[in-house]
Amino acid sequence: MVKVVKNFVKVNQYTRPGLKLAGVKGIVMHWTAAPGASALNERNYFNGTCIVDKRYASAHYFADHKEAQHIIIPENEVVYHAHDQNRCYVSFLKPNANTKSISVEIAHINLILRIFIIFYIC
């Protein structure tokens, strides 16, 4: 069983706006593209550097192949992880996927492959 660690980032305009989700209609998964990074490293980035750099980006969950999964923003809050307005390509998440989905960031590419294999088999 995967251990989930609640390790919330501070409320701020760039990574955790404190807005409530309109409801969950999907899950958006991304690869962090940071080989060797841990879930904790990613959480710390979104609680520090990302804010200092004034970058609008975040996710609910971060997972890697060694550590526990970290939830850094409550599941009932908006995160900046997907396209908004007319750039949202999945019709059921329009007009803003950020307000209707949970975001999972995977810090290790092999985890993504395992997840897709599980979904494919099921």
Side-chain angles (χ1 to χ4, degrees):
M1 180 179 246
V2 175
K3 180 181 176 186
V4 177
V5 177
K6 289 183 181 179
N7 195 355
F8 298 141
V9 299
K10 59 190 167 197
V11 175
N12 68 89
Q13 75 181 75
Y14 300 105
T15 63
R16 185 182 174 194
L19 304 171
K20 298 299 178 195
L21 279 179
V24 177
K25 300 218 178 228
I27 298 171
V28 176
M29 295 176 62
H30 297 137
W31 174 46
T32 63
S38 69
L40 181 59
N41 291 141
E42 296 295 334
R43 180 256 176 224
N44 291 341
Y45 169 78
F46 286 97
N47 199 46
T49 305
C50 198
I51 298 167
V52 171
D53 289 348
K54 297 180 179 179
R55 180 172 180 240
Y56 289 93
S58 51
H60 292 97
Y61 286 95
F62 287 85
D64 66 30
H65 68 291
K66 293 182 181 176
E67 292 183 343
Q69 188 169 335
H70 286 254
I71 178 168
I72 70 165
I73 296 174
E75 291 177 337
N76 66 342
E77 290 185 25
V78 169
V79 298
Y80 300 128
H81 65 96
H83 298 298
D84 59 5
Q85 304 305 324
N86 294 326
R87 293 175 38 198
C88 180
Y89 303 114
V90 182
S91 62
F92 63 88
L93 294 178
K94 285 187 175 184
N96 188 341
N98 292 318
T99 63
K100 297 179 180 179
S101 59
I102 298 293
S103 175
V104 179
E105 288 280 346
I106 308 296
H108 196 274
I109 193 68
N110 286 341
L111 274 177
I112 293 177
L113 295 175
R114 287 185 206 143
I115 290 167
F116 284 129
I117 289 169
I118 290 168
F119 281 127
Y120 180 76
I121 291 172
C122 295

